[in-house]
Amino acid sequence: MKNRPATSRDPVCGMTVLIADSTPTASRRGIAFHFCSAQCRERFVATPALNTAPVGNKDAAPITKRRRLCFVSPGSAALLGAADELRRMMGIAAAIPDGDGLVIEYNLHQATLEQIEAALSGAGLVLRSGVHGWRRALWRFTERNEVENAALPANGSCCNRPPNGRR
């Protein structure tokens, strides 16, 4: 019988990873997790409960987001290059140049607005501030809440109703 290399399942994207080749790792409650990329590790570290819940992230329904990000004086070549770079990221369904911005569609389970903004800044684009900056801050806040809520098991409780079985 041949010895097969030890493998692990990436808890974020579900990909099988060779443990020996897995550089991005993290541990939670004494368990080591291995990742296919730094992006997956970053998503896991941000909200580990989402990826270690009984219903895995791979099986969860996608949380699709569509955002239009605006930039300060972007060149069309820079927008096209940034759109190509974003489409190579995991979880990005679309990145379409639109005037002075990009329309981006992504799955919140695999990518966040913060990761997208970091990639765009790395590509040399400068995001607009002012009202657009406030809007992005609100989007980041609501995304964090959505991910945290998705990580919690549904127990029937809400702000005006206690969890099931409690009165």
Side-chain angles (χ1 to χ4, degrees):
M1 185 169 154
K2 292 183 180 180
N3 288 338
R4 288 192 291 166
T7 60
S8 179
R9 187 181 70 78
D10 184 319
V12 176
C13 68
M15 203 170 140
T16 300
V17 190
L18 287 174
I19 292 176
D21 295 343
S22 173
T23 353
T25 60
S27 71
R28 176 166 162 81
R29 296 184 177 161
I31 300 171
F33 293 92
H34 303 272
F35 305 93
C36 67
S37 67
Q39 182 185 351
C40 279
R41 183 188 182 283
E42 189 177 312
R43 282 301 298 132
F44 179 83
V45 170
T47 315
L50 179 65
N51 302 298
T52 57
V55 174
N57 190 16
K58 182 181 175 196
D59 304 324
I63 302 173
T64 304
K65 297 294 174 188
R66 183 181 175 95
R67 308 283 191 218
R68 185 177 189 282
L69 301 178
C70 300
F71 306 97
V72 177
S73 306
S76 59
L79 282 176
L80 288 172
D84 287 341
E85 187 175 322
L86 284 180
R87 283 190 287 268
R88 285 191 291 271
M89 283 178 65
M90 180 184 58
I92 306 294
I96 304 159
D98 180 34
D100 66 345
L102 286 172
V103 175
I104 304 161
E105 215 172 282
Y106 57 100
N107 178 357
L108 191 54
H109 282 292
Q110 298 176 324
T112 64
L113 182 59
E114 281 182 284
Q115 290 175 318
I116 292 167
E117 288 174 326
L120 293 170
S121 293
L125 292 173
V126 178
L127 288 155
R128 280 196 187 162
S129 57
V131 173
H132 186 63
W134 282 94
R135 184 181 304 144
R136 288 193 332 271
L138 178 62
W139 289 339
R140 287 189 303 269
F141 174 77
T142 58
E143 282 185 5
R144 279 192 297 273
N145 287 338
E146 276 186 87
V147 168
E148 287 175 12
N149 288 337
L152 299 172
N155 63 4
S157 65
C158 72
C159 58
N160 62 355
R161 187 177 62 236
N164 291 337
R166 295 185 188 163
R167 299 238 178 228

